[in-house]
Amino acid sequence: MAHATLWWLVAGGVVALELVTGTFYLLMLALGLCAGAIAAHAGASLSVQLIVAAGVGVSAVVAWHLYKRKAGAGISARTLRSVNLDIGEVVQIDAWAPDGTATVKYRGASWTAIHRPGVSPSPGLHRVAELVGNRLLVEPE
């Protein structure tokens, strides 16, 4: 069996494994395996095929890791509605305590609400912006 055929079979196996596990990093390694197959088609020796596959695979993994770290740095999971369904809900605040907190009835229980820094507390309707521990961080609607 030709080297290129083996490279393609292993790449297909890694893609199938990625579909089972759901990790995107295996797709990056599969790109390296595809690069090894292309090097085999080009007639490169086995050592060159291995170097090309390793270089492309590792470079793709590092590039994806850096991209994900940069893209996810500004977004907190506490502010995503897909993580917490309380985000975006509206609560009525009747009065603020001197310490900057308020007690609100929400979902049948008493919650402590805090206001976003830099926003002066005022009574009225507020939207839940994020959860900080067991407190609702709210901002005026």
Side-chain angles (χ1 to χ4, degrees):
M1 191 178 305
H3 286 152
T5 304
L6 291 174
W7 282 110
W8 289 118
L9 288 174
V10 173
V14 170
V15 169
L17 184 63
E18 189 280 330
L19 291 173
V20 172
T21 62
T23 175
F24 203 73
Y25 290 101
L26 286 176
L27 284 180
M28 300 297 105
L29 292 177
L31 284 176
L33 294 169
C34 291
I38 292 170
H41 283 295
S45 67
L46 182 59
S47 60
V48 172
Q49 294 171 30
L50 290 170
I51 291 170
V52 167
V56 170
V58 168
S59 298
V61 167
V62 169
W64 181 251
H65 179 73
L66 293 175
Y67 169 76
K68 289 300 287 182
R69 186 170 59 171
K70 182 180 178 185
I75 300 172
S76 171
R78 299 182 316 187
T79 64
L80 297 176
R81 184 160 174 82
S82 61
V83 174
N84 192 324
L85 295 178
D86 295 322
I87 306 301
E89 293 298 316
V90 177
V91 295
Q92 172 67 35
I93 296 180
D94 297 323
W96 289 92
D99 65 351
T101 64
T103 302
V104 296
K105 282 290 207 183
Y106 175 63
R107 291 193 293 143
S110 292
W111 288 71
T112 301
I114 56 175
H115 58 84
R116 189 174 292 285
V119 175
S120 61
S122 61
L125 292 177
H126 288 71
R127 186 168 304 279
V128 177
E130 68 181 271
L131 265 69
V132 180
N134 61 349
R135 295 177 165 200
L136 302 172
L137 180 83
V138 296
E139 51 192 19
E141 188 170 52

